[in-house]
């Protein structure tokens, strides 16, 4: 059912039967589907009746002819967890966390890479390359390995060790770069021109967004299940940690597709971009009323997934925020790590720093009056905190001598 590739800026169409990166204008290409033909056969009832335990249960709106042809590791189908009203979460009566840490390789990046590698392999790609400062590296490594492809990765030298290690173990060719992800991207472009690799960078090929959009499809089913109804539901507000922004753009695309399929109406959630204060190009552009985000100077944050000083899909993200009546918020590194601690201690979920950031952003918007705490709110935790153990300061732990019969005397029972 994949029928078109269209430039997101000009509307010009491109062939779908060959590998594609950006349009002639240097803008992302968006995949289209024959949704009108699907309206009678691709329904929520059909999806609910499927035994496919991955995002490929939505295969009619993904780039594959048959679901069994997908390069899959069981991505998607992540839990939507209702937050307990305790501690700093008290008063948030309809707050949820969509926990993407359950994905293969521990993050939402698995969704995008599954779709991108599936289509690239189908079109004959044998070697892929991309820049990554975090979880995209591991996801690309393992989906490329699953497909029998070679993967070249260019990563800032301060990328979290877990991301580097998992990529090396998975057989990727890893190169550490003394710069930011944007500097790594320049080397990827040069390498693709020199060696003929296929560029798998964020939004520089059409299909990572297609995998990410399944978060939007799933969310509508999750909330319907929460309300014990057959009618698909969307929340009032979605908080999304944003670097390259593929997931944000993808979910907005999913909502539009679902409306065209007759699954939902025109009502949409307010979308909130969350970035780190040390790297907040979309927040700055949104607040200034700009259509594009300039390169953010001296970008820095411990949340590696948010350390993207310039994004090729900047104008698409800004469009989503304004169309939805949403906003953009930044938090400090100290705040986002506090968010990680609060989610862990009060919700039992070891979130990544980006997940901590969305929780602190939600608190800020409630305090400002932009949002009410009893609205239906969904926070996206995009990965597992286990990838960021190097950031945890656990201090000196007490040591016990098990041969001392009195070693427990100093412990409060």
């Amino acid at each position: 059912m994949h029928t078109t590739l269209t430039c997101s800026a000009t509307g010009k169409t491109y062939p779908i039967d060959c590998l594609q990166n950006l349009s002639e204008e240097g803008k992302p290409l968006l995949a289209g589907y024959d949704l009108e033909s699907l309206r009678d056969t691709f329904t929520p009832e059909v999806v609910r009746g499927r035994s496919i335990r991955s995002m490929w249960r939505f295969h009619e709106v993904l780039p594959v002819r048959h679901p069994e042809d997908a390069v899959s590791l069981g991505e998607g189908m992540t839990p939507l967890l209702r937050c307990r009203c305790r501690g700093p979460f008290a008063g948030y009566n309809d707050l949820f966390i969509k926990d993407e840490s359950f994905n293969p390789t521990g993050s939402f990046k698995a969704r995008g890479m599954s779709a991108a590698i599936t289509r690239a392999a189908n079109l004959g790609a044998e070697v892929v390359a991309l820049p990554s400062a975090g979880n995209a590296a591991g996801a690309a490594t393992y989906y490329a390995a699953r497909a029998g492809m070679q993967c070249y990765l260019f990563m800032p030298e301060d990328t979290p060790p877990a991301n580097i290690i998992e990529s090396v173990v998975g057989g990727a060719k890893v190169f550490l770069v003394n710069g930011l992800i944007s500097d790594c991207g320049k080397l990827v472009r040069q390498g693709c021109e020199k060696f003929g690799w296929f560029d798998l960078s964020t939004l520089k090929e059409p299909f990572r967004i297609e995998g990410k959009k399944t978060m939007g499809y799933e969310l509508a089913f999750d909330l319907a299940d929460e309300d014990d109804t057959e009618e698909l539901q969307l929340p009032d507000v979605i908080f999304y940690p944003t670097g390259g922004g593929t997931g944000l753009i993808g979910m907005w695309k999913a909502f539009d597709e679902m409306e065209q399929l007759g699954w939902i109406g025109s009502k949409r959630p307010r979308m909130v971009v969350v970035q780190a204060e040390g790297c907040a190009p979309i927040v700055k552009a949104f607040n200034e009323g700009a259509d594009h985000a300039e390169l953010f100077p001296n970008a820095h944050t411990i949340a590696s997934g948010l350390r993207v000083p310039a994004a090729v899909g900047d104008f698409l993200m800004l469009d989503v925020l304004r169309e939805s009546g949403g906003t953009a918020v930044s938090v400090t590194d100290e705040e986002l790590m506090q968010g990680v601690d609060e989610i862990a201690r009060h919700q039992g979920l070891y979130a990544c720093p980006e997940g901590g950031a969305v929780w602190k952003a939600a608190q800020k918007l409630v305090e400002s009056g932009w949002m009410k705490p009893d609205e239906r709110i969904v926070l996206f935790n995009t990965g597992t905190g286990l990838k960021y153990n190097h950031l945890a300061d656990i201090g000196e732990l007490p040591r016990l001598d098990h041969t001392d019969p009195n070693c427990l005397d100093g412990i409060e029972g």
Side-chain angles (χ1 to χ4, degrees), residues 160-188:
N163 299 125
I164 298 172
I165 293 168
E166 68 177 338
S167 301
V168 173
V169 170
K173 304 292 186 182
V174 176
F175 301 89
L176 301 182
V177 179
N178 60 341
L180 298 170
I181 191 171
S182 52
D183 301 305
C184 296
K186 294 174 185 176
L187 295 178
V188 169

Side-chain angles (χ1 to χ4, degrees), residues 141-156:
T141 295
Y142 287 89
Y143 282 93
R146 184 73 169 175
M149 301 165 70
Q150 183 63 68
C151 180
Y152 282 76
L153 295 171
F154 293 77
M155 309 170 74

Side-chain angles (χ1 to χ4, degrees), residues 275-280 296 300-301 330-333 335 364:
Q275 298 192 303
E277 280 192 2
C279 185
F296 200 87
H300 63 279
T301 173
S330 64
V331 298
T332 67
D333 281 357
E335 287 172 332
K364 284 190 173 187

Side-chain angles (χ1 to χ4, degrees), residues 221-369:
F221 282 84
D222 291 338
L223 289 174
D225 291 343
E226 179 69 25
D227 291 344
D228 194 22
T229 178
E230 296 294 308
E231 185 176 351
L232 300 186
Q233 307 288 317
L234 295 178
D236 296 314
V237 190
I238 290 176
F239 284 79
Y240 195 78
T242 305
T246 315
L248 180 87
I249 300 165
M251 282 193 284
W252 197 248
K253 184 174 187 288
F255 301 152
D256 179 64
E257 290 177 357
M258 286 193 285
E259 182 177 1
Q260 292 185 59
L261 288 166
W263 292 11
I264 62 173
S266 60
K267 183 181 178 181
R268 297 287 185 272
R270 308 196 306 279
M271 308 295 283
V272 180
V273 155
V274 181
Q275 298 192 303
E277 280 192 2
C279 185
I282 304 302
V283 176
K284 183 174 184 292
F286 179 80
N287 290 336
E288 293 175 351
D291 295 326
H292 293 274
E294 296 180 358
L295 178 71
F296 200 87
N298 304 313
H300 63 279
T301 173
I302 59 175
S304 58
L306 301 181
R307 198 166 59 231
V308 180
V312 68
D314 56 354
F315 68 103
L316 294 172
M317 288 185 267
L318 292 166
D319 285 347
V320 169
L321 296 183
R322 290 170 181 141
E323 290 173 16
S324 71
T327 190
V329 183
S330 64
V331 298
T332 67
D333 281 357
E334 292 75 17
E335 287 172 332
L336 62 86
M337 289 307 295
Q338 182 184 8
V340 170
D341 182 74
E342 290 175 356
I343 293 172
R345 294 172 182 271
H346 298 283
Q347 303 302 331
L349 192 164
Y350 190 6
C352 60
E354 296 83 359
V358 294
W359 162 232
K360 299 312 288 185
Q363 287 179 298
K364 284 190 173 187
L365 290 186
V366 166
E367 291 167 2
S368 72

Side-chain angles (χ1 to χ4, degrees), residues 1-8 11-21 23 28-36 38 60-65 119 123 205-207 209-210 213 253 256-257 260:
M1 285 292 144
H2 167 44
T3 56
T4 60
L5 282 175
T6 305
C7 175
S8 56
K12 181 179 178 181
T13 59
Y14 288 78
I16 67 169
D17 57 354
C18 59
L19 291 167
Q20 299 279 9
N21 284 116
S23 70
L29 297 179
L30 300 177
Y33 302 84
D34 187 358
L35 299 175
E36 184 61 33
L38 288 171
E60 285 90 343
V61 287
L62 290 170
V64 71
R65 291 186 182 275
R119 190 59 176 162
L123 293 174
E205 59 77 49
F207 299 106
I209 191 173
E210 296 303 290
K213 79 181 181 187
K253 184 174 187 288
D256 179 64
E257 290 177 357
Q260 292 185 59

